[in-house]
Amino acid sequence: MSLASRTRLAALLAALTAAAGVAGVTTWAHGHAAAPAPAAAQAPQRPSVTQGTVVQFVAHPDDDLFFMNPDLSRSISTGVKVTTVYLTAGESDGRNEAHSPHLQDPARPADHAAYAEARQNGIRAAYAEMATGRRTSAWQRTSVPTTGGGSAEVDVLLARPEVNLVWMQMREARSISGDNPDSLRGLWDGKVPALGSQLASGTPVTTPFTYTRDQAVQAIANVLALYRPTTIRTQDPTPGRTRPAGAPADHQDHIYGARFVQAATERYAATTAAGPRPHFSVQNYVSYPNSSLPPTLDAKAAEEKLGYLKTYAWSDHQDWCGSPAGCGDRKTATRPTGAGWNQTIRYSRGESTTWLTQGPPGHLYAFAALDGQMAYWTRPRPDTPWQGPRFLPPTAPGTTIDAGASTARLPDGRIAVLATRTTLATTTPHDYRRETVYALQNAPGAGFGPWHTLGTPDTGDLSATSAIGTPTATTDPAGRITVYLRDSRRTLAAATQTAPGAGFGPWQSLGGTALQGDPATATDSAGRRHLYAATDRTVLAWTQPAPGAPLAGPFPTGLPATTGVLSATPEGDGVRLSFRTPGTGTVTTTRATATTAAPLLSPPATTGGEGGYGAVATTGHLLAGRAATGTAAITLPTPDTHTNTNTNTNTNTGTNTGTGTGTGPVWHESQMLYTGAPAAVTTPDGTNLAATLGLDADLHTTTPTPTPGPAGPAPTPWHRAVPPTALAQAARHPSTWHH
């Protein structure tokens, strides 16, 4: 062992000796012997890099590698603090065996504790390989108290102590959808008063324990209080059903584990005031439903992801770890690609690109769900600094605003912000539900009024079918708002105000089948509304044949399959539709023109570059999205790009006189990972601006600066919209920043 490693180990052991209870946990988390000193204030225009603290929660060992990578490996590579929390032991049937036409391990008696240990060994190997390039890198393992007499194992990677693993070791359901009371589902639904542990062999946790429902929530909240994340990653609590009245579309542990995390984040936010803790955002990931959806990753990213899965799966079957339980998960060795999961990463919420918008001319607003509430930043004029985050009126206790926000601008310049809100079943398990909500500005440029609910187009069995998407909205010339939503049956639903400023009428079905992602809408220069939604095979369209006419459709577009996330922006008498191509992640665009029937679409054309994944925001010639490396990237037009006068302000109206894109845009990557989707807007003076929410839960922006000469526009670095010094002042004077 090197001197540096011995020094780190000695410091960890000393800290562990002093640790007592949850409070003592802070002395060893991420390898710190004491709370870190506050970071020095940065210069306001310092280029953005990846910062923050990431904590991700999964039900089983391997859920992170299958469903959260490459976000996971990209985060580790930047050096930020990354912790993964495994809620269950993942003991399954207790058999660590590979059986396929090419692999036939000898059959052995079931041993749940040993299989749980083997999966732990595989996870430690994969994380060590992601962090150091060596699966054999050493870990310090210890037992720490949680709540109610329970304990968790915490592992710290000695060579990279900012990488931690937390093993809660609750019993798993041992069935994808079977009604087993001794499970997270049974505990959530009140079918058992407490759920027992399944301790892995070799774990430093020596005493079995049980958690009541409340204790399980509190134990997870304690982990959050310990690590103080700025980004929380978790699985999808509402994936819906495979068909009406069918089985859930995901593993029950994935679903109910995510619901426990939802409840814990709400408790953590409510009991720990902002200031002592940083703001945080939440990112949800799709799990099993990826099996039937197009791949989102390019071949290089998919192969890298597969390599870590093979390490976890102990594919070489060499006894490098010396554990009788095995050095990895041989079940996964049977098929380390899963059901094509190594080729895919997909977010279940937060993919809207309309969270950045303009109120009165030049007055910009950006919205994001932070701490389970809706936050926003403002820039009153181009020559004034950004301010924020401020917060809209809070939701009721026991509820939380979900990731993802969209906006609509009224003719008088007021902004409506829309989201979904989850009720967390604080009284009875069946109280759990999700609904569409909106809040409206009191006056142009002023604060926001209270939240109003539109309910949900779903009826019956709300606890199981609250799989509605993020709403998108538009306004007509009179100021009536129409909200569009993918419901839990994966069809399109709409609700419209009965009059400007009045309540909404009932939800109406607009048809469509197998919709993925959220609908995208824009209004062309003639005043005709367009709406597009992806399926697993193509894109469907709804359009107005004339301004003010009822929306007609769905029409087949003939477009190929996409990765499921669309963006739409006005372009003259049509709409520019942008999406990613499965298997490469390259951005493809087409121009749609409304007719009296199906819209006419131009031949799809790619924008070049190496691809990426996730949503793409567009305005004018500017595109913003996630590069193949996971970092924020923007396009800049080449010198011969034709002039584009699109004045899109994300108000669903605008014009564009451009007729082409020359040799195509050039992508420029940053050094910053981010969460959710990017957004982009064009101000009245023609300036394009892109924005993202960093892993630090801060707003970051960039404005490509035009430069004369053949080089064309220069890439301007991303930077924090609100400098750290201003954030510190806001923390000292919260009344200045919060409504």
Side-chain angles (χ1 to χ4, degrees):
M1 181 182 293
S2 69
L3 175 61
S5 296
R6 289 198 300 270
T7 302
R8 278 191 294 267
L9 179 57
L12 283 165
L13 292 175
L16 288 168
T17 302
V22 174
V25 173
T26 57
T27 64
W28 49 258
H30 293 306
H32 292 301
Q42 295 180 344
Q45 297 299 317
R46 178 175 293 183
S48 297
V49 295
T50 304
Q51 293 180 308
T53 299
V54 177
V55 175
Q56 46 188 45
F57 293 88
V58 292
H60 312 117
D62 79 6
D63 290 341
D64 45 345
L65 301 180
F66 273 130
F67 308 122
M68 295 180 176
N69 239 353
D71 281 358
L72 168 60
S73 60
R74 304 286 191 258
S75 299
I76 290 175
S77 70
T78 67
V80 298
K81 299 174 182 177
V82 177
T83 297
T84 300
V85 184
Y86 302 91
L87 300 178
T88 77
E91 72 275 11
S92 186
D93 62 359
R95 299 182 184 276
N96 190 24
E97 302 166 6
H99 296 291
S100 73
H102 307 289
L103 292 173
Q104 284 297 332
D105 291 349
R108 296 178 179 177
D111 188 333
H112 294 99
Y115 183 45
E117 180 187 358
R119 298 187 78 174
Q120 285 194 9
N121 290 336
I123 286 293
R124 281 187 285 268
Y127 273 72
E129 189 170 275
M130 285 187 282
T132 71
R134 303 182 310 278
R135 66 180 177 181
T136 57
S137 290
W139 295 80
Q140 175 64 42
R141 302 170 61 188
T142 190
S143 173
V144 298
T146 53
T147 189
S151 296
E153 175 181 339
V154 177
D155 300 347
V156 178
L157 184 60
L158 294 181
R160 292 279 303 278
E162 70 275 13
V163 178
N164 285 199
L165 306 173
V166 178
W167 307 92
M168 304 292 288
Q169 300 193 91
M170 288 185 277
R171 190 184 190 278
E172 73 147 90
R174 304 182 185 180
S175 169
I176 293 176
S177 59
D179 189 9
N180 178 8
D182 290 319
S183 62
L184 291 172
R185 176 185 177 185
L187 186 63
W188 181 271
D189 286 345
K191 294 182 178 180
V192 291
L195 180 62
S197 58
Q198 172 59 68
L199 301 184
S201 56
T203 180
V205 178
T206 57
T207 304
F209 56 88
T210 62
Y211 287 137
T212 65
R213 185 179 190 270
D214 185 74
Q215 288 170 340
V217 171
Q218 187 60 53
I220 298 169
N222 287 348
V223 172
L224 293 168
L226 163 64
Y227 286 102
R228 295 160 47 88
T230 53
T231 295
I232 297 172
R233 295 172 177 161
T234 184
Q235 293 172 278
D236 186 359
T238 54
R241 296 184 179 275
T242 54
R243 61 184 184 280
D250 204 350
H251 195 297
Q252 60 179 308
D253 285 343
H254 299 171
I255 298 170
Y256 287 90
R259 294 188 183 188
F260 271 103
V261 173
Q262 274 187 304
T265 56
E266 191 273 337
R267 182 174 297 184
Y268 167 62
T271 57
T272 308
R277 64 159 172 81
H279 294 305
F280 64 85
S281 68
V282 176
Q283 181 80 70
N284 298 103
Y285 290 77
V286 176
S287 299
Y288 284 2
N290 280 318
S291 305
S292 60
L293 299 176
T296 63
L297 298 177
D298 61 33
K300 182 179 179 181
E303 188 63 26
E304 178 187 354
K305 181 174 176 176
L306 179 59
Y308 299 132
L309 283 161
K310 288 181 176 179
T311 297
Y312 162 76
W314 192 25
S315 292
D316 64 6
H317 218 187
Q318 298 298 310
D319 185 16
W320 60 268
C321 68
S323 169
C327 302
D329 182 359
R330 291 292 290 171
K331 286 186 190 297
T332 300
T334 302
R335 190 172 61 170
T337 59
W341 300 330
N342 72 300
Q343 304 176 67
T344 293
I345 185 171
R346 189 172 269 108
Y347 310 118
S348 62
R349 310 201 70 76
E351 290 278 66
S352 169
T353 61
T354 65
W355 52 268
L356 174 67
T357 191
Q358 189 170 186
H363 193 155
L364 300 184
Y365 292 83
F367 297 86
L370 297 181
D371 310 344
Q373 304 294 332
M374 185 60 70
Y376 70 102
W377 294 259
T378 63
R379 194 193 72 177
R381 298 188 310 275
D383 59 347
T384 58
W386 283 90
Q387 302 171 2
R390 300 171 177 170
F391 283 81
L392 270 67
T395 60
T399 66
T400 183
I401 296 294
D402 303 315
S406 62
T407 61
R409 182 181 183 272
L410 276 66
D412 63 2
R414 288 181 297 156
I415 302 299
V417 58
L418 300 98
T420 58
R421 179 175 65 192
T422 296
T423 298
L424 296 169
T426 54
T427 304
T428 67
H430 297 292
D431 288 340
Y432 184 94
R433 65 183 183 276
R434 177 173 283 146
E435 59 190 338
T436 303
V437 293
Y438 74 98
L440 189 63
Q441 257 183 323
N442 297 318
F448 287 79
W451 289 101
H452 302 277
T453 180
L454 296 179
T456 172
D458 295 334
T459 57
D461 195 19
L462 296 183
S463 177
T465 62
S466 294
I468 59 176
T470 300
T472 188
T474 188
T475 57
D476 64 17
R480 292 193 311 165
I481 302 172
T482 297
V483 178
Y484 300 101
L485 183 74
R486 173 185 53 76
D487 63 21
S488 65
R489 297 177 301 156
R490 300 201 171 272
T491 66
L492 186 66
T496 302
Q497 284 182 311
T498 56
F504 282 75
W507 288 99
Q508 303 290 330
S509 175
L510 299 184
T513 57
L515 302 186
Q516 305 296 327
D518 298 315
T521 184
T523 302
D524 62 30
S525 60
R528 296 169 299 193
R529 188 176 303 169
H530 297 235
L531 190 142
Y532 299 90
T535 74
D536 56 349
R537 297 182 179 182
T538 185
V539 175
L540 299 179
W542 291 257
T543 57
Q544 287 179 320
L551 206 62
F555 298 114
T557 63
L559 289 172
T562 74
T563 59
V565 185
L566 309 175
S567 62
T569 52
E571 188 174 292
D573 62 352
V575 164
R576 176 67 59 179
L577 193 64
S578 302
F579 51 88
R580 291 192 185 272
T581 301
T584 64
T586 54
V587 178
T588 300
T589 73
T590 180
R591 188 175 183 276
T593 305
T595 69
T596 56
L600 298 177
L601 276 71
S602 66
T606 64
T607 62
E610 295 185 357
Y613 55 96
V616 177
T618 62
T619 186
H621 283 304
L622 176 66
L623 285 79
R626 189 175 277 104
T629 58
T631 59
I634 59 171
T635 60
L636 296 175
T638 52
D640 60 343
T641 299
H642 296 298
T643 301
N644 185 318
T645 59
N646 176 23
T647 56
N648 171 40
T649 60
N650 278 343
T651 64
N652 304 311
T653 60
T655 59
N656 186 323
T657 60
T659 58
T661 55
T663 58
V666 177
W667 285 91
H668 293 271
E669 294 186 31
S670 70
Q671 298 297 314
M672 177 185 65
L673 302 178
Y674 65 93
T675 188
V681 69
T682 300
T683 58
D685 64 0
T687 300
N688 294 330
L689 182 144
T692 62
L693 188 70
L695 298 188
D696 54 6
D698 282 340
L699 180 69
H700 296 254
T701 64
T702 183
T703 303
T705 303
T707 57
T716 302
W718 292 80
H719 60 271
R720 281 180 172 174
V722 180
T725 51
L727 289 171
Q729 292 171 359
R732 289 194 295 269
H733 305 286
S735 61
T736 303
W737 299 92
H738 297 263
H739 288 300

